[in-house]
Amino acid sequence: MMQLQDILFSQGFGTRRICCGLIQQGLVQVGPQALVCTDPTELIPPEGLSFRVQGETWQYHAQAYLMLHKPAGHECSQKPSTYPSIYTLLPGPLRNRGGGAAAGVQAVGRLDQDTTGLLLLSDDGKFIHRMTSPRHHVPKVYEVQVKHPLDDRQVARLLAGVVLEDDPKPVRAAACEAVSEHHLRLTLTEGKYHQVKRMVAAVSNRVEGLHRSAIGSITLPPDLLPGQWRWLSAEEVLALTQKTK
Ligand code: URA
């Protein structure tokens, strides 16, 4: 059981004082019948709770795990230099939950400003670490549009390993296929800076478009349009973490 004011606070609806005020002003409705509750200390079981704050429906999640279809022209930084931040695509509570300096959900790794596709976000530090640590080899699938026609040699070199300028150890694709003359599908299990672009450049080609279609067991759903996000289901989170232990 949790007090209603603590539920709102934990979900990112502002400081405890603000949450208390929202409830006292009658702006919070609780449960399937959307009953107004004006007692901030009312004890409610939070799991599975749906509530409305100023008309906005929210689902209680002890921890946040979500997917975003990253559109082009957005930076993954909280403090972007040129383009808008991906965090502006998320509702306020997701950016504020937890309070404090490191509030809100964080991206699980980064995509370049011009890259589109699947991005996971969470406020669970252990999950982020597990998904980004090279030790866990989480496969990430990239759909790559390339400038010059692909040939077997380029594919073979990407699979065998190419040397990038800042690292003497070759990096190799876990899987690589030419889907068509200008479409390469590349699977990586690490995430170095500009890795796909640099690997493709190392085989004398050039990335003209980059889209991430999958991370581990999660594939970007076709109905999640650029800029849209949704919660991951408990099963999706479990599948991701079980396979990457
Ligand atoms: N590799 C890149 O070069 N860019 C990305 O955004 C992701 C992987």
Side-chain angles (χ1 to χ4, degrees):
M1 291 286 211
M2 270 172 92
Q3 289 190 0
L4 183 56
Q5 59 182 352
D6 292 336
I7 292 177
L8 257 63
F9 174 70
S10 73
Q11 301 300 289
F13 284 89
T15 61
R16 281 210 165 71
R17 206 164 62 86
I18 289 175
C19 292
C20 185
L22 287 167
I23 298 163
Q24 285 172 333
Q25 287 168 64
L27 297 171
V28 179
Q29 296 157 282
V30 178
Q33 274 137 25
L35 300 173
V36 173
C37 177
T38 53
D39 176 5
T41 65
E42 173 106 10
L43 284 170
I44 297 173
E47 286 311 325
L49 180 73
S50 143
F51 57 95
R52 283 162 78 92
V53 179
Q54 292 181 294
E56 183 185 357
T57 302
W58 204 253
Q59 203 74 40
Y60 175 86
H61 286 83
Q63 294 214 270
Y65 305 93
L66 40 127
M67 62 164 82
L68 170 73
H69 185 159
K70 181 192 173 294
H74 284 74
E75 292 182 33
C76 286
S77 168
Q78 300 267 10
K79 294 197 176 86
S81 56
T82 311
Y83 297 90
S85 163
I86 51 151
Y87 294 96
T88 61
L89 300 166
L90 302 176
L94 283 177
R95 301 200 304 266
N96 298 330
R97 55 184 285 135
V105 294
Q106 311 289 325
V108 177
R110 290 185 175 194
L111 292 175
D112 296 336
Q113 143 315 99
D114 51 352
T115 302
T116 59
L118 180 61
L119 194 65
L120 303 180
L121 297 106
S122 179
D123 63 350
D124 176 350
K126 277 199 188 126
F127 173 81
I128 295 176
H129 181 257
R130 183 160 46 207
M131 297 303 295
T132 48
S133 158
R135 264 192 331 119
H136 292 297
H137 303 292
V138 181
K140 289 156 218 111
V141 183
Y142 295 91
E143 310 296 331
V144 193
Q145 296 303 319
V146 294
K147 180 166 183 183
H148 308 295
L150 290 159
D151 57 42
D152 293 345
R153 229 182 121 246
Q154 293 174 51
V155 172
R157 283 183 66 201
L158 289 165
L159 283 168
V162 294
V163 173
L164 306 178
E165 60 283 3
D166 59 347
D167 193 348
K169 220 172 111 224
V171 285
R172 49 181 291 273
C176 181
E177 63 171 310
V179 180
S180 67
E181 208 178 37
H182 290 272
H183 178 183
L184 185 72
R185 181 167 298 136
L186 197 66
T187 304
L188 300 182
T189 54
E190 53 199 336
K192 293 178 191 293
Y193 182 65
H194 290 333
Q195 186 166 344
V196 174
K197 290 175 184 166
R198 292 194 298 151
M199 286 177 77
V200 169
V203 298
S204 308
N205 211 322
R206 193 186 150 129
V207 172
E208 301 229 298
L210 186 53
H211 176 84
R212 184 157 66 192
S213 53
I215 299 175
S217 48
I218 306 282
T219 301
L220 185 69
D223 59 350
L224 192 72
L225 302 177
Q228 291 183 335
W229 69 276
R230 76 154 167 81
W231 297 102
L232 294 183
S233 68
E235 293 73 31
E236 286 171 329
V237 176
L238 199 66
L240 276 172
T241 49
Q242 273 182 345
K243 287 207 184 97
T244 60
K245 264 186 192 141

